[in-house]
Amino acid sequence: MVSTERSTTTGGSGRVHEAIKLQVVRTPDRVAVVSGRTRLTYAELDARAEGVSHTLARHGIGPGDLVGVCLARDEWLIPGLLGVWKAGAAYVPMDPAYPAERLRFMAADSGVRAVLTTESLRETAALTGATPILLGTPPHGGAETSRVTGADTDAAYVIYTSGSTGTPKGVVVEHRNTLNLLLWEAAHYREHELSGLLATASICFDPSISQLFLPLVAGGTVILADNLLSLPTLPARDEVTTVYGVPSALAVLLRDPLPPGVRAVFSGGEPLTGALVKRIYQNPGIERVLNLYGPTECTTTCAVAEIALGHTGEPSLGEPIAGAEFTVRDEHGAPVPDGELGELWIGGPVVTRGYLGRDAPAFVTAPDGARRYRTGDLVRVSDGELRFAGRADDQVKIRGYRVEPGEIEAVLARHPAVRRATVVPAHDQDGVAYLTAHVAISEGATEAGLRAWLSERLPAHLVPTRIGLAAELPLGPNGKVDKAALPTLSAARSAGTAAVAPRDDAERLVAGVVAEVLGLPEVGVLDHFADLGGHSLAAARVVTELSRRLGHTVPLAAFLTEPTAAALATRLRPTGPSWYGCAVPPIRSPPPSASSGP
């Protein structure tokens, strides 16, 4: 019987790149990283990382420094991160898709010495205000910088999360935290599961730690991809043995069969449902499904549950990993009996250093004298298993990302025409969560203007999909917004814009795919994707379907930066009014053959 007090044996110590170096020595010729059609062996990966560390050292970067990393998901991503560690520094992930204001904030708040990037992203990296250091052909020679001395208590990375006060917080994660997780996973996951692990998480999303480095610690192979839904068109799709994603993305991916080589599915970032587990096991090659749980402040994953074929009911949070200590406590910090609702407190080596430069009231000294993190997750022990029961606050998960509505509301409140705003989650036709904002405005504000205001200041996953404008918002007796009385926000075309029908094959194809993905009867080519209820996961579905039809990759960024059918068609149309000389195919048709090209 599981009680409210649980823990397991601790893992090892050291620094992450040192553990990976052991694999370089053991299997130098084994493929470590696959990116598109580029393959790096362990020896080649290590050589590139050494070159990066030498480059950083020449710029004065060394132990104790923080380095911004603004890189695409290509063959330079992992060498860049390892190179930072080899130089003795820690990295601060900076997504190239983030708006300039967020990039500048992270750089200033963390005090990064420089930003590691490539020539193609030089201008984006320069928006941070820090000095860009460009990667290219790495120099070689000299002593290995991996011999730079350091301790397992050194910071490995600082990852920013949404802040309830309106300001993002940087969580400082040490090497000992990270390696504790990776060594436990390497010992408990199967060898063939790590021989082809699909890595799709942004480095600003903490599941990227296991996706990028777990296979390397275990001697496996990382297969990089831009997003989970690109798996069907990936050159290395048949080499993927493990798919790792959030349930909302997995649910969309599973509309089609998984590649036959996939043997395991790891799910985390959102609650996993029994219905989704059943769908996963309908793929004949699946051997097991794992449900992963853990907050950023506790190193991404601190509990794992294996969900067996035929399991009934909803999955539990599982058992704590190496050294993690779970207690369920009431509001006074006292343990609660089995069956009663309480807040999950976590202790042990999974607990990170805390927030960079900020007080951390959620990190507490428990009555037993141990340092613990108060998760804010409400749980109960039922039938011997720990089960998630909601949140003690307003925090929500959007496609795996932690979202504090208060951060979005604070940015809206800075708009001169906004008098009051509240942000609440909703769900689309597929059950995928998205954000809605209800805003009381003065004259002159528009939905498009507010969306632009937010997009200039927040990452895409924090920009509400739908924004409702009103003269006033309903208030309860306590003077706060009565969320139960808020109207339902439906998809709507931008004010004053009539539906514009597709004018050629390019626009017909794009508009047709958008309509199919969003479940709408039709889409005007000038309709803004977000106005129609689109979000980043739906956008990934659009570009994946277009890539499948056209036989070449349509970049997700092309649609996120210009989210109308007309704009995307213009970017993809090579020349003239026809599009690859083909008629609009049905939604589920295979991609055109090579002979149908221009």
Side-chain angles (χ1 to χ4, degrees):
M1 173 68 72
V2 176
S3 73
T4 56
E5 302 268 355
R6 295 185 295 168
S7 66
T8 60
T9 305
T10 189
S13 62
R15 294 182 295 170
V16 180
H17 57 286
E18 294 167 346
I20 295 172
K21 182 68 175 183
L22 295 177
Q23 291 298 337
V24 174
V25 174
R26 291 170 186 156
T27 58
D29 298 326
R30 182 177 295 172
V31 174
V33 177
V34 177
S35 175
R37 301 191 183 279
T38 300
R39 294 168 181 267
L40 297 178
T41 66
Y42 274 84
E44 291 168 337
L45 171 63
D46 190 58
R48 285 199 182 198
E50 285 291 339
V52 172
S53 67
H54 281 289
T55 299
L56 291 171
R58 290 202 315 274
H59 284 80
I61 303 297
D65 289 331
L66 293 179
V67 179
V69 173
C70 184
L71 293 171
R73 298 186 65 78
D74 59 20
E75 66 268 23
W76 279 107
L77 177 62
I78 298 179
L81 301 178
L82 291 178
V84 172
W85 286 341
K86 283 173 175 284
Y91 72 83
V92 179
M94 297 179 173
D95 195 316
Y98 278 8
E101 181 171 308
R102 177 57 65 100
L103 293 174
R104 282 193 294 269
F105 169 82
M106 291 192 298
D109 186 72
S110 62
V112 295
R113 291 281 310 279
V115 177
L116 199 61
T117 190
T118 56
E119 181 61 44
S120 63
L121 292 172
R122 180 204 289 262
E123 293 184 5
T124 300
L127 296 174
T128 65
T131 302
I133 296 179
L134 300 183
L135 295 185
T137 303
H140 300 290
E144 287 191 13
T145 51
S146 56
R147 295 175 185 166
V148 171
T149 58
D152 62 359
T153 54
D154 291 344
Y157 60 95
V158 176
I159 193 166
Y160 277 81
T161 68
S162 184
S164 58
T165 61
T167 302
K169 299 175 292 187
V171 180
V172 184
V173 186
E174 298 174 349
H175 277 275
R176 66 183 182 91
N177 305 132
T178 309
L179 194 56
N180 180 73
L181 166 64
L182 297 176
L183 292 179
W184 185 93
E185 291 178 316
H188 288 77
Y189 297 169
R190 298 168 183 169
E191 183 178 354
H192 67 273
E193 291 173 348
L194 304 180
S195 65
L197 193 150
L198 183 65
T200 61
S202 163
I203 59 172
C204 292
F205 187 28
D206 48 13
S208 64
I209 299 303
S210 290
Q211 292 184 13
L212 295 177
F213 302 117
L214 169 58
L216 302 180
V217 167
T221 301
V222 181
I223 301 176
L224 291 171
D226 285 337
N227 61 77
L228 187 63
L229 301 188
S230 66
L231 173 58
T233 58
L234 206 62
R237 65 185 295 275
D238 292 334
E239 300 172 51
V240 174
T241 59
T242 295
V243 171
Y244 188 151
V246 297
S248 53
L250 288 170
V252 177
L253 178 69
L254 289 165
R255 292 183 170 195
D256 295 314
L258 293 172
V262 177
R263 293 290 177 264
V265 173
F266 298 172
S267 173
E270 298 169 339
L272 176 64
T273 65
L276 183 56
V277 172
K278 184 177 179 180
R279 287 178 59 191
I280 294 171
Y281 273 119
Q282 288 173 353
N283 290 266
I286 299 300
E287 298 172 353
R288 67 172 180 166
V289 176
L290 298 183
N291 186 32
L292 314 179
Y293 164 81
T296 301
E297 290 83 351
C298 295
T299 324
T300 307
T301 298
C302 53
V304 177
E306 181 173 349
I307 316 301
L309 176 65
H311 176 88
T312 58
E314 299 304 314
S316 72
L317 296 186
E319 293 295 324
I321 72 157
E325 301 169 357
F326 286 6
T327 58
V328 184
R329 299 180 180 272
D330 63 19
E331 64 272 22
H332 304 295
V336 303
D338 286 7
E340 290 192 13
L341 192 66
E343 181 184 7
L344 180 60
W345 291 25
I346 299 176
V350 298
V351 180
T352 60
R353 186 183 299 178
Y355 301 122
L356 183 66
R358 286 181 175 78
D359 293 335
F363 292 87
V364 299
T365 300
D368 60 4
R371 182 172 180 267
R372 296 183 182 272
Y373 175 70
R374 298 186 58 170
T375 66
D377 287 335
L378 299 177
V379 300
R380 60 165 52 90
V381 175
S382 176
D383 298 325
E385 295 187 307
L386 192 64
R387 299 189 177 278
F388 180 74
R391 288 287 303 175
D393 54 21
D394 293 331
Q395 184 189 114
V396 296
K397 286 293 187 75
I398 300 296
R399 298 177 291 285
Y401 286 95
R402 176 194 301 184
V403 173
E404 297 283 0
E407 179 178 0
I408 307 166
E409 292 165 358
V411 175
L412 280 169
R414 288 159 46 192
H415 192 285
V418 172
R419 298 200 307 273
R420 188 189 296 266
T422 190
V423 174
V424 295
H427 294 82
D428 68 10
Q429 61 178 355
D430 296 316
V432 176
Y434 63 91
L435 296 172
T436 66
H438 297 260
V439 186
I441 60 168
S442 57
E443 292 185 7
T446 65
E447 180 179 354
L450 290 178
R451 179 172 287 110
W453 171 271
L454 291 171
S455 297
E456 291 170 358
R457 292 162 175 81
L458 295 172
H461 65 271
L462 292 178
V463 177
T465 298
R466 298 176 187 172
I467 302 176
L469 308 183
E472 299 292 343
L473 298 183
L475 303 180
N478 58 2
K480 297 182 178 180
V481 175
D482 183 357
K483 295 182 179 180
L486 292 170
T488 299
L489 299 180
S490 58
R493 186 165 288 110
S494 298
T497 303
V500 176
R503 294 157 290 195
D504 60 15
D505 284 348
E507 293 182 349
R508 273 189 288 276
L509 180 54
V510 177
V513 170
V514 171
E516 169 78 7
V517 167
L518 297 182
L520 299 174
E522 64 177 8
V523 167
V525 296
L526 299 182
D527 292 345
H528 193 287
F529 189 62
D531 290 344
L532 300 174
H535 44 67
S536 61
L537 181 57
R541 288 180 56 199
V542 168
V543 298
T544 298
E545 182 60 33
L546 288 172
S547 298
R548 190 193 326 244
R549 305 281 199 85
L550 297 172
H552 64 83
T553 300
V554 176
L556 179 59
F559 192 36
L560 294 179
T561 55
E562 299 185 77
T564 68
L568 182 57
T570 298
R571 288 178 65 102
L572 298 180
R573 186 188 294 112
T575 55
S578 64
W579 206 16
Y580 294 90
C582 61
V584 180
I587 289 297
R588 290 294 179 186
S589 69
S593 65
S595 62
S596 64

